[in-house]
Amino acid sequence: MALQISATNPEHPALLLELPWQVPLEEWPEDLLVPLPRGISRHIVRYARAGDEVIAVKELAQRPALREYELLRDLDRLGIPAVDPLAVVTGRTDAAGDPLESVLVTRHLGGSQPYRSMFETTMRPATMHRLMDALAVLLVRLHLAGFAWGDCSLSNTLFRRDAGAYAAYLVDAETGELHQRLSDGQRDYDLDLARVNISGELLDLEASGALHPSVDPIEFGAEICARYRSLWEELTRTSVYPAGKYHYIERRIRRLNDLGFDVAEMQIGQTGDGASVTFVPKVVDAGHHQRQLLRLTGLDAEENQARRLLNDLESWMATQDDHADGARPEVLAHRWVRDVFRPTVRAVPPELRGAMDPAEIYHELLEHRWYLSERAQRDMDWDTVVEDYITTILPRARETLQPTTAD
């Protein structure tokens, strides 16, 4: 069988053809590889360059490679946070003509870290709680979309900073299954797998001395289940309200929006005596603030970043003279991007940003402006904030956070 590359973008086959597919992945020359931290995997995984992109290349049998490629494409269409599938390469042979395993090619998620690299120094319990929150949100989003992961674990997840919290991304979809809807039994099974895997991974870290002594691996495994169930209940429960109190439904929708979810479809019923109404959100989509920020400004950010940027945008809009005169929010938002967001971010030299994207940089600067203003008991101007941030904050951040891109 001849070499065959199935790709999602016409540019990728031309770039990928330059890579040495006739060489086993484990033997690829160092000058092609990008030294990024890798998580634990049952397969051989390497990071390499393809043109201007950093790609992750995973070697596995043809059938699971093709299956995972299609599953990742499905998750992308559903808007689930997962690595982007770029291509699957089949029909590989070595110089002697002997067959080699197929490879799955995905785009490296910039600014992300595998969980194990985050434990190179002992992680504080508060940070671990943020990781658990991120993973619980990811698992809920997958289940709402009808995806049973089948192997949820910290090892199969990448984490990216999101305005003081973390956003979790699925990396390995090899064992996953996509259904129209998951039963309670399927969800419980997936959740129990997550509990066992997470506790096992934390026990491994404990044995290596990398786990904070206050963290109980078994309790943490159980905690992910509790966080998941709390969020799932809030997103799917049926509410019963007195007739005529329809603003209660609006209040419930706003609460879901605050959690970062939109209600795309709802079911409203009335009891036989007409005394009360029932409300249940039937279709819930994550990314409420992301979509709102993207619509207003064109900026693509993580959910918590988007929430923070929207708050700053609204505060800034209130100070504009034409805001009271009815200027369109989209016009004001693009002015904010041009006059505030971009100049502020660009004031931080790119070589000092490390793995942080523009939205995370702006969030950090907002935090630092609040801190300096509280200390000085007056509003601080952006020039002072940026200069102090570069001098006092970035050096410490670079000592504790290693960049995860080779750019």
Side-chain angles (χ1 to χ4, degrees):
M1 178 179 177
L3 182 75
Q4 183 173 338
I5 299 177
S6 302
T8 58
N9 188 305
E11 295 179 4
H12 295 137
L15 296 173
L16 295 175
L17 277 171
E18 300 175 3
L19 295 174
W21 300 120
Q22 74 282 4
V23 178
L25 187 55
E26 199 169 19
E27 299 174 12
W28 276 23
E30 289 295 326
D31 61 329
L32 289 177
L33 303 179
V34 180
L36 294 173
R38 298 193 299 267
I40 297 174
S41 174
R42 65 176 68 92
H43 303 288
I44 297 172
V45 178
R46 295 290 184 268
Y47 290 110
R49 280 204 176 275
D52 295 330
E53 286 196 278
V54 177
I55 60 173
V57 185
K58 180 169 73 170
E59 207 168 47
L60 68 169
Q62 178 174 330
R63 186 173 179 179
L66 291 168
R67 183 177 181 277
E68 185 170 4
Y69 175 69
E70 291 301 329
L71 277 173
L72 288 173
R73 294 189 68 186
D74 289 338
L75 292 178
D76 181 58
R77 284 191 287 268
L78 292 169
I80 299 297
V83 292
D84 292 335
L86 296 183
V88 62
V89 183
T90 57
R92 297 173 65 214
T93 56
D94 62 17
D98 295 326
L100 296 174
E101 283 197 311
S102 301
V103 296
L104 173 69
V105 182
T106 58
R107 179 180 286 110
H108 171 62
L109 183 64
S112 65
Q113 293 179 299
Y115 91 98
R116 186 166 285 270
S117 72
M118 302 173 74
F119 284 89
E120 289 175 351
T121 57
T122 303
M123 186 181 291
R124 293 178 301 164
T127 305
M128 290 192 62
H129 281 286
R130 291 196 288 271
L131 291 182
M132 294 300 110
D133 284 334
L135 191 53
V137 170
L138 174 60
L139 198 53
V140 165
R141 291 183 64 175
L142 289 169
H143 287 178
L144 286 170
F147 185 81
W149 198 341
D151 193 19
C152 174
S153 68
L154 292 170
S155 294
N156 288 342
T157 311
L158 285 175
F159 294 94
R160 187 155 68 172
R161 294 178 64 178
D162 180 15
Y166 286 95
Y169 283 73
L170 178 147
V171 178
D172 193 334
E174 187 179 343
T175 58
E177 293 182 353
L178 190 60
H179 303 269
Q180 188 169 4
R181 182 181 180 275
L182 294 185
S183 67
D184 289 344
Q186 287 172 312
R187 290 192 304 104
D188 288 343
Y189 177 72
D190 224 16
L191 193 58
D192 197 49
L193 281 175
R195 176 186 62 79
V196 172
N197 288 342
I198 290 168
S199 291
E201 288 166 324
L202 295 181
L203 283 167
D204 181 46
L205 289 169
E206 184 180 56
S208 69
L211 193 65
H212 196 282
S214 67
V215 175
D216 185 315
I218 305 303
E219 288 183 3
F220 249 79
E223 186 172 341
I224 187 71
C225 300
R227 292 172 188 234
Y228 168 94
R229 290 195 174 101
S230 177
L231 181 56
W232 184 268
E233 170 72 11
E234 183 61 38
L235 293 173
T236 62
R237 65 181 170 85
T238 300
S239 299
V240 181
Y241 303 124
K245 301 288 186 178
Y246 299 116
H247 63 282
Y248 285 3
I249 296 176
E250 176 67 21
R251 187 171 65 185
R252 171 87 188 277
I253 293 174
R254 286 178 180 270
R255 188 160 60 246
L256 294 175
N257 292 163
D258 289 341
L259 290 171
F261 292 84
D262 277 326
V263 178
E265 183 181 336
M266 65 189 93
Q267 180 176 309
I268 301 175
Q270 193 171 42
T271 56
D273 58 6
S276 59
V277 295
T278 60
F279 167 74
V280 56
K282 290 188 66 179
V283 179
V284 181
D285 297 325
H288 170 76
H289 300 96
Q290 287 175 308
R291 285 190 287 272
Q292 190 176 0
L293 182 70
L294 188 63
R295 178 180 62 81
L296 286 172
T297 68
L299 297 175
D300 191 7
E302 298 287 355
E303 179 64 18
N304 289 326
Q305 293 170 345
R307 182 188 289 111
R308 188 70 194 277
L309 266 60
L310 284 169
N311 288 340
D312 186 67
L313 170 61
E314 290 175 4
S315 299
W316 178 87
M317 287 169 60
T319 67
Q320 302 304 294
D321 294 337
D322 51 348
H323 180 256
D325 297 331
R328 291 178 58 194
E330 293 84 356
V331 173
L332 293 171
H334 281 278
R335 188 191 305 165
W336 173 82
V337 172
R338 182 193 65 200
D339 297 342
V340 181
F341 178 82
R342 285 178 181 160
T344 302
V345 171
R346 287 171 179 166
V348 179
E351 63 272 15
L352 298 181
R353 299 177 193 173
M356 287 188 286
D357 58 29
E360 187 67 22
I361 284 285
Y362 194 77
H363 157 72
E364 293 263 333
L365 290 169
L366 286 173
E367 287 286 290
H368 198 56
R369 185 177 66 173
W370 175 85
Y371 168 75
L372 293 180
S373 298
E374 285 286 301
R375 189 174 67 180
Q377 291 299 297
R378 62 182 177 85
D379 291 338
M380 302 298 291
D381 63 272
W382 272 122
D383 289 341
T384 302
V385 171
V386 171
E387 182 180 354
D388 192 76
Y389 175 77
I390 292 173
T391 304
T392 64
I393 302 299
L394 273 184
R396 295 202 305 271
R398 288 176 64 82
E399 288 176 4
T400 57
L401 274 176
Q402 297 299 318
T404 59
T405 65
D407 296 336

